[in-house]
Structures are given as C-alpha cells and as structure tokens.
Amino acid sequence: ENVHQSATIPAGKNITLDLNGHTLSMTQAITNKGEFKLVDSSIDKTGLLKNTKTTALVNQGNMTLDGVTVNAAGHGITANSGTGTIDINNSKITGASYGINMTSGQTINLNSGLVQGSTYGIYQYGSFNGIINMTGGEVIATVDKGIYSYCGSSSYLQKVNITGGKVTGKEYGIDANYRATVTISNAEVITQASNRDKYAIRLGAYSNLTINDGALISSPTASGVILDSSNITFTMNGGEINAGGSNAYG
C-alpha cells in the first residue's frame, strides 16, 4: 500500500495498526498524540513501514512497536513533544539521518531489536528530563555517535540507563555531552574509530558515568573513556574498559 498523505492519531484515541507481513509505504509521517501500537502478527515478521521522503513516525503520546521494521529517508522516529513513552520490542528502526530523534521529555524503552541511524543512533537533546532505558537490542550509528545526550538547562537532567544490549558508534559509542547521567551494566559500548582521539564514551560538563558489573567498554583501535570537561563524576564498580588503540581512561 502506498500512502501520500500524513496520518494523525488524536489524543484520547487508542489505535493498533497490524502490518500482518505487508509493506506500508508513505511519503509523510504518522503522528501519534494518543495511544498507538504498530505490530506485525505474521509468523515471519516481514511487516514494513517505509517512508521514502521524511521521518516515518512522530510520537507525542505513547507508542509501542512490536515485531515490525521501520525504514525512513529522514529519522526513524521523532519524539518532539510531551512526556510520553516509546516501547520497542523485537523491531528494527532505521533512519537515513537519526534512528530516533528525541527532543522532548519522553522515555524510550528499548527492550529488543535495533535502532540505527547514520549520524546518531539515538539523539537526545534539549532542556527536559528525558530517559533512555535499554535492556537489550542494539543501537548503531554508522557515521558518528551511537547515543548522543545533551541537556541545555541546570533545572533538568538527561538519563541513559543501559542494563543489556550493545551500543556501537563509528566515532563515539556514547557522547554524554552536557548534564547527562549514564549508567551501564551487563552491556557493551563500542567505538569503531581507528583514531586514538576518539573514545567509546565521552563525558562533557556536569555529566556522570557509572560502570557496573558485566559492562564492557570496548575500543579495539581507539580509546576508552574521556572526561572532557569539569564537574564530572565517574564511578567504576565493576566491568571492563578494553582500549586497544591507546588510553583506557583519560
């Protein structure tokens, strides 16, 4: 099915779209302001939402993806208003720009599946209390940073909680640029960079990093963790930093 107009789920509505193994190709976004579930009940899970011109999904409410593939010429998902949630289960989300573009105080729960973009896998930016919870799956950036987190106000704090899965960036695995708190347990964070000036994890001003048991911070041909400013807290309770290129920590 090819659709050349936008679609909006209004606030107060509860809608489930079952792709049932089929492809829905669009040129404008589906915007959710209510409760929206995008699922695939087919055995082979071949259901595909494809946007050939822009962002595929815009969330301003509560959204669940279960067993689907989302492929977009822009961002896979944009979360740009409100304090809703995005739950991702056994789904693949790819954007030619960002996998997820998060510019509001929403919560992303990545339980299983893949979120992939070129510049950023997940981009978390703005003055709000945003949360990324990752219990499994993968986040990948093919050009730059797996997860980028920035909070522009001292009144708020961005949070990245990773308790499973893998985050991979071409340049940085995670960049906690400003006022971001990152906690990692039983997960892997990787940079694919070959330059010793690139790191698996970068911490900017007023950011916090806690590494717990089961965490592997991996940098085969670059460096491990960089504390790149002042007012930073780094706590290592367990886990491993493996930097083959140069500095494990600096």
Side-chain angles (χ1 to χ4, degrees), residues 38-171:
L38 181 64
V39 304
D40 183 7
S41 63
S42 70
I43 295 174
D44 294 331
K45 304 299 181 188
T46 54
L48 168 64
L49 172 64
K50 183 177 181 180
N51 194 301
T52 58
K53 287 190 176 181
T54 186
T55 295
L57 295 165
V58 176
N59 188 55
Q60 299 173 0
N62 297 313
M63 179 184 293
T64 299
L65 287 80
D66 197 341
V68 299
T69 297
V70 176
N71 190 302
H75 308 316
I77 300 174
T78 289
N80 62 2
S81 180
T83 57
T85 61
I86 301 172
D87 293 322
I88 301 168
N89 305 303
N90 191 30
S91 295
K92 181 179 179 181
I93 301 159
T94 59
S97 187
Y98 309 166
I100 298 178
N101 177 35
M102 183 180 179
T103 57
S104 67
Q106 296 192 28
T107 298
I108 297 170
N109 298 312
L110 175 57
N111 302 310
S112 56
L114 170 70
V115 177
Q116 180 173 305
S118 57
T119 308
Y120 305 109
I122 300 177
Y123 177 79
Q124 184 186 44
Y125 184 95
S127 298
F128 51 81
N129 294 317
I131 301 173
I132 300 169
N133 294 320
M134 184 174 175
T135 61
E138 291 188 70
V139 176
I140 297 174
T142 58
V143 174
D144 200 350
K145 298 167 184 177
I147 294 176
Y148 178 86
S149 184
Y150 177 98
C151 183
S153 170
S154 60
S155 299
Y156 302 97
L157 186 68
Q158 308 278 26
K159 293 183 179 181
V160 180
N161 305 312
I162 303 174
T163 57
K166 182 188 294 186
V167 179
T168 303
K170 183 67 174 179
E171 299 292 319

Side-chain angles (χ1 to χ4, degrees), residues 2 19 26 35 78 86 92 95 130 137 141 155 167-168 191 215 220 230 240:
N2 295 314
L19 295 174
M26 303 187 68
E35 305 284 331
T78 289
I86 301 172
K92 181 179 179 181
S155 299
V167 179
T168 303
T191 174
S230 58
E240 178 183 353

